[in-house]
Amino acid sequence: MEAIARLKYLQASPQKVRLVADLIRGRDVEEASTLLQLSTKSAARPVYKLLRSAVANAENREPGVDVGGLYIKEIFVDGGPTLKRLRPQPMGRAFRILKRQSHVTIKIDSRGGQPEPSQD
């Protein structure tokens, strides 16, 4: 049983969010939750909320699911739109500031290993 949660337009660069995603990829949900709560990275808090949302989606989709048996099957970070801002500089110049955004997708699954029914 797979559950998906998406976080769009996170105001953090994809490079920084991928550091947090690599930290929890493939781990159990409880272990990943603990790691995210103890992490000092700024992207850890939104990813933690996204993980809680994915667990809630799994519970909503299949009541009575064992949360202890869930693991992070897949997590990936895509780049979102970039906000372009100008910063004034001396002598009438202006330098561009790029405020990057991210789209984060997380998929969790149960480790039970029961085969899913084929649709023939």
Side-chain angles (χ1 to χ4, degrees):
M1 195 272 320
E2 186 176 282
I4 300 174
R6 289 186 180 90
L7 173 61
K8 294 180 140 189
Y9 305 105
L10 173 62
Q11 189 67 46
S13 72
Q15 181 179 6
K16 293 177 182 178
V17 179
R18 282 188 192 111
L19 292 173
V20 175
D22 293 341
L23 185 67
I24 64 170
R25 184 174 286 119
R27 296 186 185 265
D28 290 335
V29 168
E30 293 175 352
E31 182 182 359
S33 175
T34 304
L35 282 172
L36 290 173
Q37 286 176 339
L38 297 176
S39 177
T40 58
K41 298 280 187 189
S42 62
R45 187 170 183 182
V47 173
Y48 172 69
K49 289 176 72 172
L50 180 66
L51 179 61
R52 285 193 341 215
S53 175
V55 170
N57 290 345
E59 290 174 340
N60 192 19
R61 192 169 193 192
E62 185 177 313
V65 68
D66 180 25
V67 177
L70 296 175
Y71 77 103
I72 299 173
K73 180 178 181 181
E74 189 176 358
I75 181 170
F76 55 91
V77 182
D78 296 324
T82 301
L83 302 176
K84 294 161 180 85
R85 301 292 182 255
L86 293 177
R87 181 176 179 101
Q89 295 294 318
M91 299 176 66
R93 295 184 182 97
F95 291 152
R96 185 176 267 183
I97 295 177
L98 301 177
K99 297 191 175 199
R100 302 183 191 275
Q101 296 180 352
S102 304
H103 299 320
V104 186
T105 303
I106 188 168
K107 296 180 183 179
I108 61 174
D109 202 357
S110 58
R111 287 207 192 266
Q114 62 262 26
E116 295 184 10
S118 62
Q119 298 178 6
D120 290 327

